Amino acid sequence: MHADSSWVFRGLGDTRFGLIPGIGRGRYDLAKERTILEIFERRAAEFLDLTQMSAWDKMALAQHHGLPTRLLDWSTNPLVAAYFATTSSPMALEVRKAGSRAKPFNAVPSLESVSARIIAFRVRSSTIVDPETDKDPFDRQDVGFVLPRSVATRIVTQGGLFSCHPAPSMAWEEPLQSPKHIFDVPGDLRKYFQQRLFYLGIEPQRIMSGLDGVGARLAWQYAAGIGLGAVR
């Protein structure tokens, strides 16, 4: 069903998560969004030549390096989405000790106790952003998909692309309307899925690349007790 190239995939660490970009999680402020992006561009110029990058490239680069933006990460590879779904943390819950007057605190449940989710969505050609005619991400009025250039190795290895959200604080509901395009992974099967993905070549080194990926892969193998025999 999802075999043709028009489908994209996103993994969520908790079935309760909505499709809200990072900049919209909390009190959203357009002026502050613009400001942090401008600061990132000035600082990034110390490390990269940004002169040939479009505004979309710069926003994608910022998103990739952890800046909260109006972009959401997707992948053309469902296995990459499954990796992020099964390895990402669930939603934090407010905990209040019974009989205690202490203030409640937030705690993140264990991965095994919360189901993960993989979403498939068919991208229509009319929603693909053309950076030549749609130059400013802040001018876009509806959700569109950005196919970034190779501004970062990880974006390429992850088959990455982004959806852009003109109202960042509002959850995007369209991809959640059809249950047949949603696959939930029970919490107690997360480790099983991670192991199967590892043997299919979808593991931290492939996802993260570089030495960070090598270290993360070996740390996972050590914790899982997998692939540390004579053949490495």
Side-chain angles (χ1 to χ4, degrees):
M1 178 186 296
H2 303 120
D4 70 74
S5 60
S6 64
W7 288 94
V8 297
F9 308 87
R10 178 171 172 80
L12 302 175
D14 193 320
T15 57
R16 293 167 294 181
F17 283 141
L19 296 175
I20 302 176
I23 199 70
R25 300 168 195 168
R27 183 174 296 179
Y28 173 66
D29 186 308
L30 175 59
K32 290 181 179 178
E33 180 188 8
R34 288 181 177 274
T35 297
I36 62 171
L37 188 60
E38 290 170 1
I39 294 172
F40 176 85
E41 291 179 11
R42 289 201 303 270
R43 301 279 174 80
E46 300 174 20
F47 307 96
L48 297 169
D49 180 8
L50 305 182
T51 57
Q52 301 302 312
M53 290 189 185
S54 68
W56 291 103
D57 291 333
K58 295 173 187 176
M59 185 174 281
L61 185 68
Q63 167 80 6
H64 173 71
H65 285 286
L67 194 76
T69 73
R70 58 182 52 209
L71 303 181
L72 269 181
D73 296 86
W74 296 76
S75 176
T76 56
N77 188 336
L79 298 182
V80 170
Y83 172 87
F84 282 110
T86 56
T87 59
S88 297
S89 297
M91 180 183 293
L93 301 176
E94 186 177 274
V95 177
R96 185 187 299 272
K97 291 184 178 180
S100 172
R101 295 184 179 181
K103 291 184 178 180
F105 58 93
N106 288 335
V108 177
S110 66
L111 295 183
E112 294 77 13
S113 65
V114 178
S115 294
R117 172 165 287 178
I118 303 160
I119 301 169
F121 183 72
R122 185 189 289 275
V123 177
R124 300 181 298 277
S125 59
S126 60
T127 65
I128 297 176
V129 172
D130 180 355
E132 295 299 320
T133 58
D134 202 357
K135 295 182 181 296
D136 190 342
F138 291 98
D139 287 343
R140 189 164 183 92
Q141 299 300 308
D142 51 9
V143 176
F145 278 84
V146 185
L147 309 178
R149 296 188 300 168
S150 302
V151 294
T153 302
R154 289 185 193 177
I155 296 177
V156 177
T157 58
Q158 295 171 13
L161 70 162
F162 306 95
S163 55
C164 178
H165 300 261
S169 60
M170 295 180 60
W172 188 32
E173 299 293 345
E174 185 180 355
L176 302 175
Q177 298 304 309
S178 180
K180 67 181 180 181
H181 301 314
I182 298 173
F183 180 77
D184 290 344
V185 179
D188 59 356
L189 290 180
R190 283 188 190 233
K191 287 185 177 180
Y192 171 78
F193 269 75
Q194 291 173 25
Q195 291 173 7
R196 302 314 301 168
L197 289 168
F198 175 83
Y199 289 120
L200 290 170
I202 306 298
E203 35 76 21
Q205 186 174 339
R206 160 75 182 275
I207 297 295
M208 300 173 67
S209 72
L211 284 176
D212 287 343
V214 173
R217 169 182 165 144
L218 291 172
W220 180 84
Q221 287 181 255
Y222 177 78
I226 290 176
L228 296 176
V231 178
R232 298 181 177 86

